[in-house]
Amino acid sequence: MKKNNPTMSSTECRDLGRALCIITGASRGFGQTIARNMSRLVKPGSVLVLVARSGDDLRALQAELAESEAGRVGLVVECVVADLGQPDGLEAVVRRSQESFSEDLDHIILVNNAASLGDVSRYVKSFTNMAEVDSYLSLNVTSSLCLTASILQAFPQCPGLRRTVINITSLCALQPFRSWVLYCTGKAAREMIFRVLAEEEPDLRVLNYSPGPLDTAMKSFSDMFAQGQLLTCEESCAKLMKVLLDDNYTSGAHIDIYDL
Amino acid sequence: MLDYKSSSESPTPCNKPTKMSGKNTTNRKTLGRGICIITGASKGFGRALAHEVFHLLEPGSVLLLVARSGTLLQELKEEMQSFTDKQQLVVHCVATDLSTKEGVNETVKVARQEAVNEIDHVFLINNAGSLGDISGFESLTDLEKVNSYLSFNVSSPLALTAGILQVFPCRSGLRWSVVNVSSVFALQALPSWALYCTAKAARKMMFSVLAEEEPNVKVLSYSPGPLDTDMQEEIQRLTGLSYRLFPCQESAAKLMELLLDNNFASGTQVDFLEV
């Protein structure tokens, strides 16, 4: 019986196919780890489209992946330096994805990972400035909704083409925490977007994955929830990859690393 | 799966019904001498709420009716006039667009002008809302359209609630109640309704966080049920579905009853169809 180890090379039988995988917030933290793990789980000829606002960090990751084993056997890595809150940013990602697509790809994977914490020191009563709230929702909610809708429109349902949409969510999508109104509200909103999507498109695989408190720049989160027990991005990402490979989650479900 | 119940359930001196709900001459419970703000008051559920609430406010109370249509608000004010005059209730029509920061600020400004009066209850009903595009996920590619929808349905009630909280800071002797007009679709995903469900889920969470933060503010997310409003007419027209609708008055009366009984845990959601 073949060993079930998702971090082995693509010669193992479990993989995510010949995929076009778009990852937002790919320049650092969990997004960067997802990019690395995806690169090992997709077949040669696959394409990763890495999206972030930081060009330098993205290009460094692109170089790293090009030199990796996956890169050497034919993984294509594209970088799109873009602000997904702007129409031209969003269009750039869709266009690059369309340009990178070829008929022999059998899987579209969209990872909505980019997000921000917002000011987690302030109570509801301090948010009298509507523009501040608008700006937060634009980055954290609107951009993921519009990007997902645009990608699904660009890559419609088609025989032989699997489509998977992942939303990186949080315990904060389900539970309110004082002084965290923007983050909780944004996560609750995002999670509902993807739950509706799952209901609406039964052929789509939709996953709301809550990665747990990670050792990333989004440190306040970790400090609050981890009580010293931080997870590495690798640990959490390995679990995410296993869920994707097993592919028996209910579409739209909220899966928390601690459930696994 | 965690539920949405807030943990801040313990009643505080500001919220004891026996202290804060006054009694009028017929010995019925009332909402006290309050300032009551209702958004989206010109029609539908908001208008029905206005009609219910003025009976429950004591002399010296102030009612702020907020909506875009000055004409409809003025009509509403006139409908209540004989009672409100007799009962010494002040009614302000605030004709403004709550999808703009100017609209939110205008409403807060009018409320602030009333802050000089002796009141024992601040009562904010975040009712204004819109349906949004329900034609399906793939029509939601436009950033501006989605931003605009979230601004009106999420940012606006947050900024308004924050503004009113700052005008009337919590203090001993002041009862504070916030209602979020919610929906079963704050909790349940409905295909094609991404905008509406997302905004309702966002609002539910936002007001749950408020409940966690402010033990002196009683927060209720109220799902009013399917009502005989323009919004439902639009839904039935767009979807071709036909189902039973309840009169706004019935649901508004039920909400008032819930508020007077004051037995709910702050931050929870209560559904008209289940009480």
Side-chain angles (χ1 to χ4, degrees):
Chain A
M1 188 141 109
K2 280 210 166 117
K3 235 200 270 195
N4 195 13
N5 183 345
T7 62
M8 298 277 284
S9 76
S10 57
T11 54
E12 287 299 286
C13 64
R14 275 160 57 91
D15 59 59
L16 293 170
R18 200 165 293 105
L20 169 62
C21 180
I22 303 150
I23 303 165
T24 67
S27 59
R28 53 187 182 145
F30 198 55
Q32 187 184 60
T33 305
I34 293 172
R36 289 174 176 141
N37 278 262
M38 281 290 180
S39 74
R40 295 193 282 262
L41 292 178
V42 296
K43 288 184 157 136
S46 293
V47 184
L48 294 190
V49 176
L50 307 177
V51 187
R53 285 172 298 183
S54 159
D56 291 342
D57 291 341
L58 272 189
R59 281 183 283 272
L61 178 59
Q62 181 185 40
E64 177 197 310
L65 292 173
E67 275 156 43
S68 70
E69 188 188 327
R72 284 182 275 116
V73 299
L75 174 71
V76 176
V77 182
E78 299 280 347
C79 292
V80 183
V81 183
D83 178 351
L84 292 169
Q86 299 301 320
D88 55 359
L90 206 149
E91 277 158 27
V93 177
V94 177
R95 201 170 41 243
R96 187 72 64 84
S97 303
Q98 286 172 312
E99 285 161 5
S100 308
F101 183 77
S102 61
E103 291 303 320
D104 61 336
L105 295 180
D106 55 39
H107 196 176
I108 305 286
I109 306 171
L110 172 59
V111 186
N112 288 286
N113 165 75
S116 67
L117 200 55
D119 190 333
V120 291
S121 66
R122 287 163 52 199
Y123 278 20
V124 164
K125 65 188 171 198
S126 75
F127 287 98
T128 53
N129 183 342
M130 216 162 125
E132 184 184 2
V133 184
D134 285 345
S135 169
Y136 184 84
L137 294 176
S138 176
L139 172 61
N140 287 275
V141 184
T142 305
S143 67
S144 61
L145 170 50
C146 294
L147 177 63
T148 303
S150 301
I151 292 295
L152 292 176
Q153 196 180 80
F155 300 100
Q157 182 185 358
C158 158
L161 184 68
R162 290 165 63 191
R163 302 182 304 165
T164 300
V165 176
I166 300 157
N167 171 42
I168 303 305
T169 186
S170 169
L171 173 63
C172 291
L174 305 180
Q175 201 174 317
F177 292 97
R178 65 160 65 104
S179 83
W180 286 58
V181 66
L182 290 186
Y183 190 76
C184 287
T185 298
K187 286 308 191 195
R190 268 170 82 128
E191 183 139 333
M192 178 56 89
I193 289 171
F194 294 97
R195 284 178 56 201
V196 171
L197 181 59
E199 290 288 320
E200 208 173 308
E201 303 276 349
D203 79 301
L204 206 53
R205 301 290 286 139
V206 181
L207 175 62
N208 279 305
Y209 180 70
S210 175
L214 305 174
D215 58 347
T216 66
M218 199 181 267
K219 207 177 173 304
S220 303
F221 182 98
S222 306
D223 287 344
M224 164 111 170
F225 296 102
Q227 296 161 339
Q229 305 288 316
L230 287 187
L231 296 165
T232 63
C233 289
E234 266 304 328
E235 270 175 276
S236 184
C237 197
K239 300 268 183 170
L240 168 58
M241 294 301 128
K242 182 171 193 308
V243 171
L244 293 174
L245 289 165
D246 289 347
D247 197 26
N248 53 25
Y249 57 91
T250 303
S251 191
H254 176 106
I255 293 184
D256 189 291
I257 187 173
Y258 294 119
D259 296 337
L260 301 169
Chain B
M1 164 94 181
L2 294 156
D3 66 41
Y4 283 86
K5 280 214 189 92
S6 164
S7 62
S8 61
E9 293 182 23
S10 46
T12 67
C14 288
N15 281 307
K16 274 198 198 128
T18 49
K19 185 178 178 187
M20 288 288 96
S21 295
K23 302 212 180 223
N24 65 14
T25 52
T26 58
N27 219 36
R28 257 174 74 237
K29 279 198 271 188
T30 75
L31 293 169
R33 189 170 58 245
I35 177 164
C36 176
I37 301 154
I38 303 174
T39 66
S42 57
K43 29 178 206 161
F45 190 55
R47 195 178 182 110
L49 286 169
H51 274 288
E52 289 298 311
V53 88
F54 74 78
H55 298 285
L56 302 172
L57 293 168
E58 291 186 3
S61 291
V62 178
L63 182 55
L64 257 69
L65 306 173
V66 191
R68 283 170 301 178
S69 167
T71 312
L72 291 176
L73 289 178
Q74 188 56 31
E75 261 175 39
L76 173 58
K77 178 174 173 174
E78 282 160 22
E79 277 166 22
M80 308 184 303
Q81 195 117 33
S82 57
F83 184 93
T84 54
D85 284 350
K86 201 168 60 166
Q87 282 293 103
Q88 301 156 56
L89 304 182
V90 173
V91 181
H92 290 297
C93 298
V94 186
T96 197
D97 184 349
L98 287 169
S99 73
T100 67
K101 69 174 198 285
E102 290 77 17
V104 171
N105 292 341
E106 173 66 25
T107 307
V108 173
K109 190 174 112 187
V110 176
R112 186 174 289 115
Q113 285 161 2
E114 295 298 332
V116 295
N117 300 316
E118 286 279 312
I119 51 142
D120 56 43
H121 191 180
V122 181
F123 181 21
L124 171 61
I125 306 184
N126 289 289
N127 165 74
S130 60
L131 185 62
D133 186 334
I134 58 167
S135 62
F137 208 89
E138 294 196 10
S139 65
L140 302 179
T141 55
D142 184 329
L143 290 165
E144 202 186 304
K145 170 166 142 179
V146 176
N147 276 333
S148 166
Y149 183 82
L150 293 177
S151 186
F152 176 53
N153 288 277
V154 183
S155 306
S156 174
L158 175 51
L160 178 63
T161 302
I164 302 297
L165 279 166
Q166 293 205 3
V167 172
F168 300 101
C170 288
R171 58 170 171 82
S172 158
L174 180 66
R175 181 175 168 191
W176 237 107
S177 306
V178 179
V179 175
N180 164 37
V181 177
S182 185
S183 169
V184 62
F185 301 117
L187 307 173
Q188 195 181 308
L190 185 60
S192 289
W193 288 52
L195 286 184
Y196 188 82
C197 292
T198 294
K200 289 305 192 193
R203 286 165 66 125
K204 174 69 184 60
M205 175 56 80
M206 201 163 97
F207 287 102
S208 296
V209 172
L210 176 62
E212 287 289 317
E213 290 171 355
E214 306 286 345
N216 294 330
V217 176
K218 205 72 189 284
V219 182
L220 176 62
S221 283
Y222 179 68
S223 170
L227 306 176
D228 57 352
T229 60
D230 286 356
M231 189 186 278
Q232 280 294 347
E233 194 186 294
E234 198 189 334
I235 291 166
Q236 295 197 352
R237 181 179 62 80
L238 290 169
T239 60
L241 296 171
S242 173
Y243 43 85
R244 182 184 172 190
L245 297 175
F246 293 85
C248 289
Q249 185 277 329
E250 216 178 294
S251 187
K254 176 53 72 177
L255 173 57
M256 294 301 134
E257 200 183 300
L258 286 168
L259 291 164
L260 290 169
D261 290 344
N262 203 16
N263 279 331
F264 56 92
S266 190
T268 49
Q269 173 148 315
V270 176
D271 194 308
F272 167 72
L273 296 174
E274 289 168 16
V275 290

